[in-house]
C-alpha cells in the first residue's frame, strides 16, 4: 500500500475536491515532501481508479460514482454522415471519430473539428467518391500529414482505411469504442496532431477512472497498431512521456 492511499479514509464520498484541496489533504499525512510528489500522488490515485476526474479540476471517490459505458456524443454533421453512408452501403463496416470527442478528456479544448471516417479497406475509395458526388468539397482520401495540413478546412472529412481487428460495438457498429479511440489517439499521426500529446497520459487516466474500459480489448487493438508496449507500461504505472510520437 502506498502512503498516499491513506488519504482515501479522510475524503468525504459525497463531496468533490479540487486539485489544491487534495494536496492539502495529502499534506496532513506528510508535510515535508516536494510539491511535485503530491501531484504524483494524486495522479497515482486516479491511475489506480480510487479517484475519478469528473471534469477540469474536480475529483471524487470512485466508490461514490459508478462507472458507465462510454457513448460518444457526435456532432450533427458526423451523425448525418453515418446516416447517409449506412443507407448507401448497409453492409460496409466503418466507424466515425471526430476530434471534438477528445474535449471531454482534454484541458486545452479543440474548437476546429475534423471528422475521420475509418472504413474497411476494400470499400473506402467508394465511400470517398460517394461523398464527392453528394457535394462534400472538404473531403480528403488517406492524406499524408503534409497534404492534410495544406488542404484542411473546418469540419473537414478524412476518409481512411480501418485497421483490421478494430473493436466495434455490436449495438452501434459505427460509433467508436473508447478502447479504439484511445489507441488511435496515440498512434494515428493526423489525430495526434490535433491535440497536445503531453495530455495523453492524463487522457488515459480520466478514461479508465470514469468509464468501463476493457483493457484486454484495448491492448489487442494496440498490438495491431504497434502501441501495445507503450500502453501496457502506462497501465502498469510507468511514465509514458514517449507514448505519442
Amino acid at each position: 500500500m502506498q502512503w498516499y492511499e491513506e488519504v482515501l479514509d479522510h475524503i468525504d464520498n459525497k463531496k468533490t475536491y479540487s486539485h489544491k484541496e487534495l494536496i492539502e489533504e495529502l499534506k496532513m499525512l506528510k508535510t515535508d515532501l516536494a510539491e511535485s510528489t503530491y501531484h504524483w500522488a494524486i495522479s497515482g490515485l486516479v491511475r489506480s481508479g480510487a479517484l475519478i476526474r469528473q471534469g477540469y479540476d474536480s475529483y471524487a471517490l470512485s466508490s461514490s460514482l459508478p462507472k458507465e459505458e462510454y457513448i460518444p456524443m457526435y456532432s450533427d454533421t458526423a451523425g448525418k454522415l453515418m446516416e447517409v453512408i449506412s443507407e448507401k452501403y448497409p453492409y460496409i463496416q466503418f466507424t466515425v471519430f471526430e476530434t471534438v470527442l477528445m474535449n471531454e478528456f482534454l484541458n486545452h479544448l479543440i474548437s476546429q473539428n475534423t471528422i475521420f471516417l475509418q472504413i474497411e479497406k476494400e470499400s473506402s475509395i467508394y465511400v470517398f467518391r460517394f461523398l464527392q458526388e453528394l457535394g462534400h468539397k472538404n473531403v480528403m482520401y488517406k492524406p499524408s500529414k503534409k497534404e492534410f495540413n495544406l488542404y484542411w478546412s473546418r469540419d473537414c472529412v478524412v476518409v481512411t482505411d480501418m485497421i483490421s481487428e478494430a473493436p466495434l460495438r455490436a449495438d452501434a457498429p459505427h460509433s467508436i469504442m473508447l478502447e479504439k479511440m484511445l489507441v488511435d489517439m496515440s498512434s494515428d499521426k493526423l489525430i495526434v496532431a490535433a491535440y497536445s500529446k503531453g495530455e495523453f497520459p492524463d487522457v488515459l487516466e480520466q478514461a479508465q477512472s470514469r468509464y468501463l474500459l476493457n483493457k484486454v480489448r484495448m491492448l489487442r487493438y494496440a498490438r495491431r497498431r504497434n502501441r501495445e508496449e507503450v500502453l501496457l507500461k502506462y497501465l502498469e504505472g510507468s511514465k509514458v512521456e514517449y507514448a505519442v510520437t
Side-chain angles (χ1 to χ4, degrees):
M1 179 177 178
Q2 298 285 352
W3 68 268
Y4 54 77
E5 292 178 359
E6 294 180 31
V7 78
L8 300 173
D9 296 328
H10 305 282
I11 293 178
D12 188 340
N13 63 3
K14 297 181 180 179
K15 288 180 56 178
T16 59
Y17 292 80
S18 67
H19 197 87
K20 182 179 179 181
E21 289 172 332
L22 287 175
I23 289 179
E24 291 173 355
E25 293 286 344
L26 289 166
K27 285 183 176 180
M28 293 178 66
L29 297 176
K30 288 183 177 289
T31 60
D32 56 347
L33 302 179
E35 197 74 12
S36 60
T37 302
Y38 298 115
H39 295 300
W40 172 81
I42 293 173
S43 178
L45 290 169
V46 173
R47 186 164 50 244
S48 69
L51 287 180
I52 289 178
R53 285 193 61 172
Q54 293 184 281
Y56 178 71
D57 200 27
S58 179
Y59 301 81
L61 282 174
S62 60
S63 58
S64 64
L65 296 168
K67 292 184 180 181
E68 302 176 349
E69 182 181 6
Y70 174 75
I71 305 296
M73 300 298 293
Y74 286 109
S75 66
D76 291 341
T77 302
K80 184 62 176 179
L81 283 169
M82 274 190 272
E83 182 181 333
V84 297
I85 294 171
S86 58
E87 182 177 338
K88 176 69 174 180
Y89 301 104
Y91 303 111
I92 286 180
Q93 288 188 333
F94 70 93
T95 57
V96 179
F97 171 79
E98 54 182 344
T99 52
V100 291
L101 290 176
M102 297 189 290
N103 282 341
E104 181 178 356
F105 308 105
L106 298 175
N107 289 323
H108 299 90
L109 303 184
I110 296 170
S111 59
Q112 305 295 331
N113 194 27
T114 303
I115 300 171
F116 292 86
L117 301 177
Q118 301 169 328
I119 301 166
E120 58 182 270
K121 188 174 182 180
E122 296 79 9
S123 305
S124 60
I125 185 62
Y126 299 109
V127 173
F128 169 70
R129 290 172 177 166
F130 170 63
L131 294 179
Q132 284 186 315
E133 292 171 0
L134 288 180
H136 286 271
K137 297 181 180 179
N138 55 342
V139 57
M140 289 188 272
Y141 182 64
K142 298 197 291 189
S144 65
K145 189 173 181 180
K146 181 178 180 180
E147 291 170 334
F148 178 78
N149 292 333
L150 184 61
Y151 298 111
W152 180 91
S153 60
R154 187 183 182 89
D155 289 326
C156 180
V157 177
V158 177
V159 178
T160 62
D161 292 338
M162 181 189 294
I163 302 297
S164 61
E165 298 182 32
L168 301 174
R169 292 172 58 93
D171 58 338
H174 309 315
S175 295
I176 195 165
M177 300 189 74
L178 180 60
E179 294 85 356
K180 184 179 189 305
M181 177 177 170
L182 293 172
V183 174
D184 288 347
M185 284 181 66
S186 73
S187 57
D188 188 293
K189 292 182 178 180
L190 300 184
I191 295 175
V192 169
Y195 74 103
S196 173
K197 64 183 182 181
E199 291 197 53
F200 183 68
D202 191 47
V203 167
L204 274 176
E205 284 186 359
Q206 290 192 64
Q208 69 173 333
S209 65
R210 191 181 306 173
Y211 293 107
L212 295 170
L213 184 66
N214 188 320
K215 296 177 182 177
V216 173
R217 178 191 294 144
M218 182 173 70
L219 292 172
R220 185 185 302 119
Y221 179 55
R223 190 179 309 128
R224 293 287 299 126
R225 304 215 64 164
N226 297 317
R227 307 304 289 174
E228 181 185 24
E229 183 178 351
V230 168
L231 290 178
L232 186 59
K233 285 184 177 180
Y234 177 81
L235 293 171
E236 291 174 345
S238 301
K239 293 183 178 180
V240 288
E241 286 86 352
Y242 56 92
V244 182
T245 57

